[in-house]
């Protein structure tokens, strides 16, 4: 039976006996753990949104012939990719955090085209296996986590050069039925809240790294997996009584380290095995999708801009010109992120496999903006909030008969505004800029889908500086024929803008 809504999704996670370590102990039932539950609630929203607004958060899949959650849909048009972005912004607004399902969505889409091309070269059957697998998860309506980032050890060395060969996930054993993998994946978003994990390589591989060229789907409760829960700033506030101090009591993100020890992947769930030369294609396509998925942060930006406008109002400064200007600046930055992401989706092209891939240059520009602008939006939010955002007493003091009346009197804002509401909105700003959801809004913005330099490399590759030199020299009336100092990799970015006829001009 497919999972129909958020409540059924939450129930589907019970009783799986995962080996999860948190605070030095095994977690009995993550669903009932007060610190973990907000992250589960965030994914539950993705189910409820699909039920309540199917146009936005579901799609008709021609693979399975049914309406499926958009997070499980293989893009059949540019509009499908635009709709992913619309859904991501909405979910960011609804949760104020990372809702954890985009890595899986982007992994399925990048694998769809990459497996097709591996089969074309090697005569393998990965694409058909993947289609069967996608059909199954679509019909059952499951959550997929995408496990790409290895722990990596010495960053200057390739997988096979590491002193400890387990620094990257690798095949350690084979039998006629499949392969066994060992290693660890770091920072895994929503992995404990998922039903399946797709393991993928994290970097370009060479012949000697063949055992590291493994892609496969693994149930989250497969034998041999250990999860070590990641701490988030102020996370234990979720375990306290009351709901004010956590700032956003309902929702949070989740990251954990996944350790694989001889974990089995059966042949029918293997989508790459040794075709090392396709690792870079998979990673580039995945990061291309995922870097534009970071428009999710504009939904969070909407929340933070709203919180800033609300606190300005509570403080009686809503009409001050510099406050209005700061809100405009925050909006300008937020929409600049959205503009690049959604433009990347609109500028999609069809791959040989038939699915659609967004524009790489604009995806990288989108993500690069995300590594910077949320920090500036956060700075402006803290400016507008005032110092109380970091000096406010706890909810316990507010509820205490001794100190409560004092706080009620001395933490008042403008007339007609409740002190409690003023404290709540300040806690939300703290949550997003310093607390639990600053993980999602700030540091995930920096490193998720690749650290800033990874985008600069991609932008440089697609800069078409030779082409731009030609454009400039024509206007300066410089005759061609001289030797060029730099020859950069060719890119089709201008072809995607102007059409391939542009080459002739
Ligand atoms: C909140 C969060 C959620 C995430 N979720 C997921 C997920 O769901 N799935 C997943 O697979 N990954 C996930 N990631 C991982 C993310 O993709 C990585 O954090 C990112 O790729 C950077 O890798 P790293 O953290 O190991 O940093 P490092 O590689 O240690 O980078 C640190 C710095 O060193 C530089 N550097 C690294 N290597 C080199 C080199 N060889 N030469 C020169 N400079 C170098 C980087 O540019 C950076 O400035 C998540 C990350 C975060 C923070
Ligand atoms: S960071 Fe954004 S894109 Fe990535 S999984 Fe979370 S919500 Fe989705």
């Amino acid at each position: 039976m497919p999972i129909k809504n958020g409540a059924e999704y939450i129930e589907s996670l019970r009783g799986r006996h995962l080996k999860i370590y948190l605070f030095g102990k095994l977690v009995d039932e993550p669903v009932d753990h007060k610190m973990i539950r907000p992250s589960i609630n965030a994914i539950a929203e993705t189910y409820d949104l699909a039920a309540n607004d199917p146009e936005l958060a579901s799609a008709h899949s021609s693979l399975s012939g049914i309406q499926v959650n958009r997070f499980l849909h293989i893009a059949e048009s540019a509009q499908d990719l635009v709709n992913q972005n619309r859904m991501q912004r909405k979910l960011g607004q609804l949760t104020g955090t990372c809702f954890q399902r985009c890595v899986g969505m982007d992994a399925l889409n990048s694998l769809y085209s990459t497996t097709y091309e591996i089969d074309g070269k090697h005569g393998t059957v990965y694409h058909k296996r993947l289609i069967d697998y996608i059909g199954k998860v679509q019909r059952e309506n499951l959550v997929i986590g995408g496990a790409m980032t290895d722990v990596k050890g010495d960053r200057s060395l390739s997988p096979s050069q590491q002193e400890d060969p387990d620094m990257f996930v690798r095949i350690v054993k084979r039998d006629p039925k499949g392969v066994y993998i060992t290693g660890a994946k770091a920072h895994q978003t929503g992995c404990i809240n998922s039903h399946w994990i797709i393991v993928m390589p994290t970097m370009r591989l060479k012949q000697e790294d063949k055992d590291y060229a493994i892609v496969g789907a693994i149930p989250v409760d497969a034998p041999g997996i250990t999860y070590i829960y990641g701490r988030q700033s102020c996370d234990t506030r979720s375990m306290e009584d009351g709901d004010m101090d956590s700032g956003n009591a309902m929702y949070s993100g989740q990251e954990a380290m996944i350790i694989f020890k001889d974990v089995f992947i059966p042949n029918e769930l293997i989508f790459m095995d040794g075709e090392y030369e396709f690792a870079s294609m998979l990673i580039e396509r995945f990061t291309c999708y995922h870097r534009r998925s970071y428009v999710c942060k504009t939904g969070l930006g909407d929340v933070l801009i709203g919180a800033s406008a609300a606190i300005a109002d509570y403080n009686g400064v809503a009409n001050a010109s510099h406050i209005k200007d700061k809100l405009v600046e925050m909006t300008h930055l937020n929409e600049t992120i959205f503009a690049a992401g959604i433009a990347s989706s609109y500028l999609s092209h069809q791959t040989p496999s038939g699915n659609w891939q967004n524009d790489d240059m604009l995806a990288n520009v989108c993500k690069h903006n995300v590594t910077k602008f949320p920090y500036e939006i956060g700075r402006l939010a803290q400016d507008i909030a005032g110092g109380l955002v970091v000096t406010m007493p706890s909810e316990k003091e507010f509820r205490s008969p001794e100190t409560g009346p004092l706080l009620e009197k001395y933490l008042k804002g403008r007339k007609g505004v409740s002190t409690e509401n003023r404290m709540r909105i300040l806690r939300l700003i703290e949550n997003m800029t310093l607390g639990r959801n600053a993980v999602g809004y700030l540091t995930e913005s920096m490193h998720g889908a690749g650290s800033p330099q990874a985008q600069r490399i991609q932008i440089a590759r697609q800069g078409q500086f030779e082409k731009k030199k030609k454009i400039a020299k024509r206007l300066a009336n410089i005759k061609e024929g001289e030797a060029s100092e730099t020859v950069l990799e060719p890119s089709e970015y201008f072809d995607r803008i102007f059409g391939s006829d542009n080459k002739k001009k």
Side-chain angles (χ1 to χ4, degrees), residues 103 146-152 155-156 186-190 255 294 439-440 443-444 447-454:
V103 191
M148 182 167 265
T149 309
D150 292 276
V151 290
K152 294 188 289 194
R155 270 70 176 149
S156 67
H187 330 291
Q188 296 302 299
T189 293
E255 294 82 30
Y294 270 65
V439 173
T443 316
E444 187 169 51
H447 288 293
S451 312
Q453 187 59 17

PDB file of all heavy atoms in Angstrom, residues 103 146-152 155-156 186-190 255 294 439-440 443-444 447-454, ligand 1:
ATOM      1  N   VAL A 103      17.889  15.397  -2.189  1.00  0.00           N
ATOM      2  CA  VAL A 103      19.089  14.653  -2.599  1.00  0.00           C
ATOM      3  C   VAL A 103      18.651  13.380  -3.339  1.00  0.00           C
ATOM      4  O   VAL A 103      19.194  13.039  -4.395  1.00  0.00           O
ATOM      5  CB  VAL A 103      19.974  14.302  -1.379  1.00  0.00           C
ATOM      6  CG1 VAL A 103      21.318  13.781  -1.840  1.00  0.00           C
ATOM      7  CG2 VAL A 103      20.157  15.496  -0.467  1.00  0.00           C
ATOM      8  N   GLY A 146      20.144  10.393  -0.493  1.00  0.00           N
ATOM      9  CA  GLY A 146      21.242  10.304  -1.471  1.00  0.00           C
ATOM     10  C   GLY A 146      22.573  10.380  -0.747  1.00  0.00           C
ATOM     11  O   GLY A 146      22.886  11.404  -0.122  1.00  0.00           O
ATOM     12  N   ALA A 147      23.361   9.308  -0.807  1.00  0.00           N
ATOM     13  CA  ALA A 147      24.624   9.244  -0.051  1.00  0.00           C
ATOM     14  C   ALA A 147      25.799   9.365  -1.007  1.00  0.00           C
ATOM     15  O   ALA A 147      26.244   8.377  -1.596  1.00  0.00           O
ATOM     16  CB  ALA A 147      24.693   7.939   0.731  1.00  0.00           C
ATOM     17  N   MET A 148      26.287  10.592  -1.171  1.00  0.00           N
ATOM     18  CA  MET A 148      27.399  10.817  -2.086  1.00  0.00           C
ATOM     19  C   MET A 148      28.694  11.113  -1.328  1.00  0.00           C
ATOM     20  O   MET A 148      29.748  10.565  -1.652  1.00  0.00           O
ATOM     21  CB  MET A 148      27.047  11.977  -3.025  1.00  0.00           C
ATOM     22  CG  MET A 148      28.101  12.275  -4.056  1.00  0.00           C
ATOM     23  SD  MET A 148      27.503  13.359  -5.345  1.00  0.00           S
ATOM     24  CE  MET A 148      26.997  12.219  -6.604  1.00  0.00           C
ATOM     25  N   THR A 149      28.655  11.968  -0.319  1.00  0.00           N
ATOM     26  CA  THR A 149      29.884  12.498   0.283  1.00  0.00           C
ATOM     27  C   THR A 149      30.577  11.487   1.195  1.00  0.00           C
ATOM     28  O   THR A 149      30.060  11.124   2.249  1.00  0.00           O
ATOM     29  CB  THR A 149      29.582  13.779   1.091  1.00  0.00           C
ATOM     30  OG1 THR A 149      28.840  14.654   0.257  1.00  0.00           O
ATOM     31  CG2 THR A 149      30.862  14.458   1.531  1.00  0.00           C
ATOM     32  N   ASP A 150      31.765  11.062   0.773  1.00  0.00           N
ATOM     33  CA  ASP A 150      32.571  10.169   1.621  1.00  0.00           C
ATOM     34  C   ASP A 150      33.276  10.979   2.690  1.00  0.00           C
ATOM     35  O   ASP A 150      33.378  12.203   2.596  1.00  0.00           O
ATOM     36  CB  ASP A 150      33.595   9.442   0.742  1.00  0.00           C
ATOM     37  CG  ASP A 150      32.929   8.474  -0.212  1.00  0.00           C
ATOM     38  OD1 ASP A 150      32.652   7.349   0.194  1.00  0.00           O
ATOM     39  OD2 ASP A 150      32.659   8.870  -1.367  1.00  0.00           O
ATOM     40  N   VAL A 151      33.859  10.270   3.666  1.00  0.00           N
ATOM     41  CA  VAL A 151      34.586  10.998   4.720  1.00  0.00           C
ATOM     42  C   VAL A 151      35.905  11.566   4.169  1.00  0.00           C
ATOM     43  O   VAL A 151      36.429  12.538   4.661  1.00  0.00           O
ATOM     44  CB  VAL A 151      34.800  10.116   5.966  1.00  0.00           C
ATOM     45  CG1 VAL A 151      33.473   9.887   6.673  1.00  0.00           C
ATOM     46  CG2 VAL A 151      35.443   8.782   5.632  1.00  0.00           C
ATOM     47  N   LYS A 152      36.474  10.954   3.176  1.00  0.00           N
ATOM     48  CA  LYS A 152      37.535  11.487   2.301  1.00  0.00           C
ATOM     49  C   LYS A 152      38.950  11.589   2.860  1.00  0.00           C
ATOM     50  O   LYS A 152      39.874  11.869   2.103  1.00  0.00           O
ATOM     51  CB  LYS A 152      37.123  12.860   1.724  1.00  0.00           C
ATOM     52  CG  LYS A 152      35.938  12.795   0.788  1.00  0.00           C
ATOM     53  CD  LYS A 152      35.664  14.095   0.071  1.00  0.00           C
ATOM     54  CE  LYS A 152      35.125  15.151   0.975  1.00  0.00           C
ATOM     55  NZ  LYS A 152      34.538  16.311   0.309  1.00  0.00           N
ATOM     56  N   ARG A 155      42.344  15.085   1.728  1.00  0.00           N
ATOM     57  CA  ARG A 155      41.659  15.634   0.543  1.00  0.00           C
ATOM     58  C   ARG A 155      42.559  15.739  -0.682  1.00  0.00           C
ATOM     59  O   ARG A 155      42.059  15.942  -1.790  1.00  0.00           O
ATOM     60  CB  ARG A 155      41.086  17.015   0.848  1.00  0.00           C
ATOM     61  CG  ARG A 155      39.668  17.047   1.396  1.00  0.00           C
ATOM     62  CD  ARG A 155      39.558  16.534   2.770  1.00  0.00           C
ATOM     63  NE  ARG A 155      38.187  16.668   3.267  1.00  0.00           N
ATOM     64  CZ  ARG A 155      37.634  15.851   4.118  1.00  0.00           C
ATOM     65  NH1 ARG A 155      38.292  14.809   4.588  1.00  0.00           N
ATOM     66  NH2 ARG A 155      36.392  16.039   4.529  1.00  0.00           N
ATOM     67  N   SER A 156      43.875  15.656  -0.485  1.00  0.00           N
ATOM     68  CA  SER A 156      44.744  15.791  -1.658  1.00  0.00           C
ATOM     69  C   SER A 156      44.961  14.440  -2.350  1.00  0.00           C
ATOM     70  O   SER A 156      45.608  14.374  -3.380  1.00  0.00           O
ATOM     71  CB  SER A 156      46.086  16.398  -1.251  1.00  0.00           C
ATOM     72  OG  SER A 156      46.787  15.475  -0.432  1.00  0.00           O
ATOM     73  N   ALA A 186      29.524  10.872   5.075  1.00  0.00           N
ATOM     74  CA  ALA A 186      29.385  11.928   6.086  1.00  0.00           C
ATOM     75  C   ALA A 186      28.229  12.864   5.748  1.00  0.00           C
ATOM     76  O   ALA A 186      27.831  12.967   4.595  1.00  0.00           O
ATOM     77  CB  ALA A 186      30.677  12.733   6.153  1.00  0.00           C
ATOM     78  N   HIS A 187      27.708  13.520   6.745  1.00  0.00           N
ATOM     79  CA  HIS A 187      26.694  14.597   6.632  1.00  0.00           C
ATOM     80  C   HIS A 187      25.412  14.144   5.912  1.00  0.00           C
ATOM     81  O   HIS A 187      24.870  14.913   5.113  1.00  0.00           O
ATOM     82  CB  HIS A 187      27.197  15.808   5.843  1.00  0.00           C
ATOM     83  CG  HIS A 187      28.647  16.130   5.884  1.00  0.00           C
ATOM     84  ND1 HIS A 187      29.282  16.600   6.991  1.00  0.00           N
ATOM     85  CD2 HIS A 187      29.610  16.096   4.914  1.00  0.00           C
ATOM     86  CE1 HIS A 187      30.549  16.847   6.714  1.00  0.00           C
ATOM     87  NE2 HIS A 187      30.785  16.537   5.470  1.00  0.00           N
ATOM     88  N   GLN A 188      24.956  12.935   6.163  1.00  0.00           N
ATOM     89  CA  GLN A 188      23.856  12.431   5.332  1.00  0.00           C
ATOM     90  C   GLN A 188      22.490  12.955   5.751  1.00  0.00           C
ATOM     91  O   GLN A 188      21.916  12.555   6.771  1.00  0.00           O
ATOM     92  CB  GLN A 188      23.882  10.900   5.335  1.00  0.00           C
ATOM     93  CG  GLN A 188      25.143  10.354   4.702  1.00  0.00           C
ATOM     94  CD  GLN A 188      25.315  10.840   3.276  1.00  0.00           C
ATOM     95  OE1 GLN A 188      24.469  10.567   2.424  1.00  0.00           O
ATOM     96  NE2 GLN A 188      26.371  11.592   2.993  1.00  0.00           N
ATOM     97  N   THR A 189      21.974  13.836   4.915  1.00  0.00           N
ATOM     98  CA  THR A 189      20.693  14.492   5.180  1.00  0.00           C
ATOM     99  C   THR A 189      19.547  13.476   5.228  1.00  0.00           C
ATOM    100  O   THR A 189      19.374  12.695   4.293  1.00  0.00           O
ATOM    101  CB  THR A 189      20.411  15.515   4.056  1.00  0.00           C
ATOM    102  OG1 THR A 189      21.373  16.557   4.168  1.00  0.00           O
ATOM    103  CG2 THR A 189      19.018  16.099   4.154  1.00  0.00           C
ATOM    104  N   GLY A 190      18.781  13.523   6.298  1.00  0.00           N
ATOM    105  CA  GLY A 190      17.541  12.749   6.397  1.00  0.00           C
ATOM    106  C   GLY A 190      17.707  11.253   6.266  1.00  0.00           C
ATOM    107  O   GLY A 190      16.716  10.536   6.028  1.00  0.00           O
ATOM    108  N   GLU A 255      21.091  15.384   9.945  1.00  0.00           N
ATOM    109  CA  GLU A 255      22.255  14.793   9.280  1.00  0.00           C
ATOM    110  C   GLU A 255      22.831  13.734  10.202  1.00  0.00           C
ATOM    111  O   GLU A 255      22.781  13.869  11.418  1.00  0.00           O
ATOM    112  CB  GLU A 255      23.356  15.822   8.987  1.00  0.00           C
ATOM    113  CG  GLU A 255      22.981  16.880   7.975  1.00  0.00           C
ATOM    114  CD  GLU A 255      22.194  18.002   8.592  1.00  0.00           C
ATOM    115  OE1 GLU A 255      22.406  18.293   9.789  1.00  0.00           O
ATOM    116  OE2 GLU A 255      21.342  18.593   7.901  1.00  0.00           O
ATOM    117  N   TYR A 294      18.824  24.251  -4.421  1.00  0.00           N
ATOM    118  CA  TYR A 294      19.046  25.136  -3.279  1.00  0.00           C
ATOM    119  C   TYR A 294      18.175  26.382  -3.287  1.00  0.00           C
ATOM    120  O   TYR A 294      18.288  27.219  -2.397  1.00  0.00           O
ATOM    121  CB  TYR A 294      20.549  25.450  -3.123  1.00  0.00           C
ATOM    122  CG  TYR A 294      21.177  24.413  -2.210  1.00  0.00           C
ATOM    123  CD1 TYR A 294      21.236  23.078  -2.600  1.00  0.00           C
ATOM    124  CD2 TYR A 294      21.650  24.730  -0.955  1.00  0.00           C
ATOM    125  CE1 TYR A 294      21.751  22.107  -1.756  1.00  0.00           C
ATOM    126  CE2 TYR A 294      22.176  23.770  -0.112  1.00  0.00           C
ATOM    127  CZ  TYR A 294      22.222  22.462  -0.513  1.00  0.00           C
ATOM    128  OH  TYR A 294      22.724  21.510   0.335  1.00  0.00           O
ATOM    129  N   VAL A 439      21.847  25.475  10.813  1.00  0.00           N
ATOM    130  CA  VAL A 439      22.524  24.391  10.076  1.00  0.00           C
ATOM    131  C   VAL A 439      21.999  24.379   8.648  1.00  0.00           C
ATOM    132  O   VAL A 439      22.757  24.398   7.685  1.00  0.00           O
ATOM    133  CB  VAL A 439      22.275  23.024  10.756  1.00  0.00           C
ATOM    134  CG1 VAL A 439      22.821  21.885   9.903  1.00  0.00           C
ATOM    135  CG2 VAL A 439      22.857  23.009  12.149  1.00  0.00           C
ATOM    136  N   GLY A 440      20.673  24.378   8.520  1.00  0.00           N
ATOM    137  CA  GLY A 440      20.051  24.341   7.198  1.00  0.00           C
ATOM    138  C   GLY A 440      20.173  25.661   6.466  1.00  0.00           C
ATOM    139  O   GLY A 440      20.404  25.691   5.257  1.00  0.00           O
ATOM    140  N   THR A 443      25.115  26.947   7.217  1.00  0.00           N
ATOM    141  CA  THR A 443      26.276  26.106   6.862  1.00  0.00           C
ATOM    142  C   THR A 443      25.951  25.092   5.769  1.00  0.00           C
ATOM    143  O   THR A 443      26.804  24.786   4.934  1.00  0.00           O
ATOM    144  CB  THR A 443      26.839  25.420   8.122  1.00  0.00           C
ATOM    145  OG1 THR A 443      26.881  26.389   9.167  1.00  0.00           O
ATOM    146  CG2 THR A 443      28.236  24.886   7.876  1.00  0.00           C
ATOM    147  N   GLU A 444      24.732  24.587   5.758  1.00  0.00           N
ATOM    148  CA  GLU A 444      24.343  23.728   4.636  1.00  0.00           C
ATOM    149  C   GLU A 444      24.362  24.534   3.333  1.00  0.00           C
ATOM    150  O   GLU A 444      24.742  24.024   2.281  1.00  0.00           O
ATOM    151  CB  GLU A 444      22.948  23.158   4.880  1.00  0.00           C
ATOM    152  CG  GLU A 444      22.531  22.130   3.844  1.00  0.00           C
ATOM    153  CD  GLU A 444      21.274  21.393   4.260  1.00  0.00           C
ATOM    154  OE1 GLU A 444      20.293  22.069   4.607  1.00  0.00           O
ATOM    155  OE2 GLU A 444      21.274  20.158   4.235  1.00  0.00           O
ATOM    156  N   HIS A 447      28.156  24.481   2.357  1.00  0.00           N
ATOM    157  CA  HIS A 447      28.830  23.252   1.920  1.00  0.00           C
ATOM    158  C   HIS A 447      27.940  22.243   1.190  1.00  0.00           C
ATOM    159  O   HIS A 447      28.442  21.441   0.406  1.00  0.00           O
ATOM    160  CB  HIS A 447      29.484  22.559   3.118  1.00  0.00           C
ATOM    161  CG  HIS A 447      30.686  23.286   3.625  1.00  0.00           C
ATOM    162  ND1 HIS A 447      31.847  23.393   2.890  1.00  0.00           N
ATOM    163  CD2 HIS A 447      30.908  23.972   4.777  1.00  0.00           C
ATOM    164  CE1 HIS A 447      32.740  24.096   3.570  1.00  0.00           C
ATOM    165  NE2 HIS A 447      32.187  24.465   4.714  1.00  0.00           N
ATOM    166  N   GLY A 448      26.650  22.225   1.510  1.00  0.00           N
ATOM    167  CA  GLY A 448      25.779  21.244   0.860  1.00  0.00           C
ATOM    168  C   GLY A 448      25.878  21.389  -0.657  1.00  0.00           C
ATOM    169  O   GLY A 448      26.034  22.493  -1.171  1.00  0.00           O
ATOM    170  N   ALA A 449      25.834  20.279  -1.382  1.00  0.00           N
ATOM    171  CA  ALA A 449      25.971  20.263  -2.855  1.00  0.00           C
ATOM    172  C   ALA A 449      27.325  20.803  -3.306  1.00  0.00           C
ATOM    173  O   ALA A 449      27.488  21.217  -4.454  1.00  0.00           O
ATOM    174  CB  ALA A 449      24.845  21.035  -3.527  1.00  0.00           C
ATOM    175  N   GLY A 450      28.292  20.823  -2.393  1.00  0.00           N
ATOM    176  CA  GLY A 450      29.646  21.247  -2.757  1.00  0.00           C
ATOM    177  C   GLY A 450      29.999  22.604  -2.182  1.00  0.00           C
ATOM    178  O   GLY A 450      29.180  23.529  -2.200  1.00  0.00           O
ATOM    179  N   SER A 451      31.215  22.709  -1.678  1.00  0.00           N
ATOM    180  CA  SER A 451      31.712  23.963  -1.101  1.00  0.00           C
ATOM    181  C   SER A 451      31.876  25.003  -2.216  1.00  0.00           C
ATOM    182  O   SER A 451      31.910  24.648  -3.402  1.00  0.00           O
ATOM    183  CB  SER A 451      33.061  23.703  -0.416  1.00  0.00           C
ATOM    184  OG  SER A 451      32.965  22.558   0.414  1.00  0.00           O
ATOM    185  N   PRO A 452      31.994  26.297  -1.862  1.00  0.00           N
ATOM    186  CA  PRO A 452      31.983  27.352  -2.892  1.00  0.00           C
ATOM    187  C   PRO A 452      32.969  27.134  -4.046  1.00  0.00           C
ATOM    188  O   PRO A 452      32.643  27.399  -5.203  1.00  0.00           O
ATOM    189  CB  PRO A 452      32.363  28.611  -2.100  1.00  0.00           C
ATOM    190  CG  PRO A 452      31.962  28.311  -0.693  1.00  0.00           C
ATOM    191  CD  PRO A 452      32.065  26.837  -0.492  1.00  0.00           C
ATOM    192  N   GLN A 453      34.166  26.634  -3.731  1.00  0.00           N
ATOM    193  CA  GLN A 453      35.161  26.494  -4.795  1.00  0.00           C
ATOM    194  C   GLN A 453      34.686  25.516  -5.885  1.00  0.00           C
ATOM    195  O   GLN A 453      35.026  25.682  -7.065  1.00  0.00           O
ATOM    196  CB  GLN A 453      36.503  26.049  -4.193  1.00  0.00           C
ATOM    197  CG  GLN A 453      37.661  26.024  -5.171  1.00  0.00           C
ATOM    198  CD  GLN A 453      37.950  27.383  -5.823  1.00  0.00           C
ATOM    199  OE1 GLN A 453      37.498  28.431  -5.347  1.00  0.00           O
ATOM    200  NE2 GLN A 453      38.662  27.363  -6.935  1.00  0.00           N
ATOM    201  N   ALA A 454      33.905  24.538  -5.487  1.00  0.00           N
ATOM    202  CA  ALA A 454      33.397  23.564  -6.479  1.00  0.00           C
ATOM    203  C   ALA A 454      32.529  24.274  -7.515  1.00  0.00           C
ATOM    204  O   ALA A 454      32.552  23.936  -8.703  1.00  0.00           O
ATOM    205  CB  ALA A 454      32.608  22.469  -5.765  1.00  0.00           C
TER     206      ALA A 454
HETATM  207  C1  LIG B   1      24.176  20.250   6.381  1.00  0.00           C
HETATM  208  C2  LIG B   1      24.784  19.425   5.301  1.00  0.00           C
HETATM  209  C3  LIG B   1      24.032  18.451   4.662  1.00  0.00           C
HETATM  210  C4  LIG B   1      24.607  17.633   3.684  1.00  0.00           C
HETATM  211  N1  LIG B   1      23.858  16.642   3.116  1.00  0.00           N
HETATM  212  C5  LIG B   1      24.452  15.749   2.284  1.00  0.00           C
HETATM  213  C6  LIG B   1      23.734  14.624   1.773  1.00  0.00           C
HETATM  214  O1  LIG B   1      22.567  14.440   2.049  1.00  0.00           O
HETATM  215  N2  LIG B   1      24.383  13.751   0.980  1.00  0.00           N
HETATM  216  C7  LIG B   1      25.669  13.925   0.647  1.00  0.00           C
HETATM  217  O2  LIG B   1      26.190  13.093  -0.073  1.00  0.00           O
HETATM  218  N3  LIG B   1      26.380  14.978   1.101  1.00  0.00           N
HETATM  219  C8  LIG B   1      25.797  15.887   1.918  1.00  0.00           C
HETATM  220  N4  LIG B   1      26.524  16.963   2.388  1.00  0.00           N
HETATM  221  C9  LIG B   1      27.939  17.023   2.085  1.00  0.00           C
HETATM  222  C10 LIG B   1      28.415  18.156   1.209  1.00  0.00           C
HETATM  223  O3  LIG B   1      28.228  17.858  -0.137  1.00  0.00           O
HETATM  224  C11 LIG B   1      29.889  18.367   1.601  1.00  0.00           C
HETATM  225  O4  LIG B   1      29.890  18.989   2.874  1.00  0.00           O
HETATM  226  C12 LIG B   1      30.667  19.178   0.610  1.00  0.00           C
HETATM  227  O5  LIG B   1      30.810  18.476  -0.590  1.00  0.00           O
HETATM  228  C13 LIG B   1      32.057  19.544   1.174  1.00  0.00           C
HETATM  229  O6  LIG B   1      32.734  18.407   1.600  1.00  0.00           O
HETATM  230  P1  LIG B   1      33.338  18.357   3.073  1.00  0.00           P
HETATM  231  O7  LIG B   1      32.274  18.728   4.029  1.00  0.00           O
HETATM  232  O8  LIG B   1      33.985  17.032   3.231  1.00  0.00           O
HETATM  233  O9  LIG B   1      34.389  19.517   3.127  1.00  0.00           O
HETATM  234  P2  LIG B   1      35.934  19.466   2.765  1.00  0.00           P
HETATM  235  O10 LIG B   1      36.123  18.616   1.559  1.00  0.00           O
HETATM  236  O11 LIG B   1      36.700  19.120   3.965  1.00  0.00           O
HETATM  237  O12 LIG B   1      36.176  20.974   2.359  1.00  0.00           O
HETATM  238  C14 LIG B   1      36.681  21.969   3.257  1.00  0.00           C
HETATM  239  C15 LIG B   1      37.423  23.009   2.451  1.00  0.00           C
HETATM  240  O13 LIG B   1      38.532  22.410   1.799  1.00  0.00           O
HETATM  241  C16 LIG B   1      38.493  22.657   0.398  1.00  0.00           C
HETATM  242  N5  LIG B   1      38.976  21.450  -0.294  1.00  0.00           N
HETATM  243  C17 LIG B   1      38.508  20.184  -0.172  1.00  0.00           C
HETATM  244  N6  LIG B   1      39.189  19.336  -0.958  1.00  0.00           N
HETATM  245  C18 LIG B   1      40.104  20.076  -1.602  1.00  0.00           C
HETATM  246  C19 LIG B   1      41.133  19.770  -2.551  1.00  0.00           C
HETATM  247  N7  LIG B   1      41.328  18.529  -2.994  1.00  0.00           N
HETATM  248  N8  LIG B   1      41.873  20.794  -3.007  1.00  0.00           N
HETATM  249  C20 LIG B   1      41.687  22.062  -2.566  1.00  0.00           C
HETATM  250  N9  LIG B   1      40.742  22.405  -1.663  1.00  0.00           N
HETATM  251  C21 LIG B   1      39.968  21.431  -1.179  1.00  0.00           C
HETATM  252  C22 LIG B   1      37.021  22.946   0.081  1.00  0.00           C
HETATM  253  O14 LIG B   1      36.872  23.753  -1.079  1.00  0.00           O
HETATM  254  C23 LIG B   1      36.582  23.657   1.352  1.00  0.00           C
HETATM  255  O15 LIG B   1      36.883  25.021   1.281  1.00  0.00           O
HETATM  256  C24 LIG B   1      25.944  17.816   3.331  1.00  0.00           C
HETATM  257  C25 LIG B   1      26.701  18.823   3.954  1.00  0.00           C
HETATM  258  C26 LIG B   1      26.137  19.615   4.929  1.00  0.00           C
HETATM  259  C27 LIG B   1      26.989  20.652   5.603  1.00  0.00           C
END
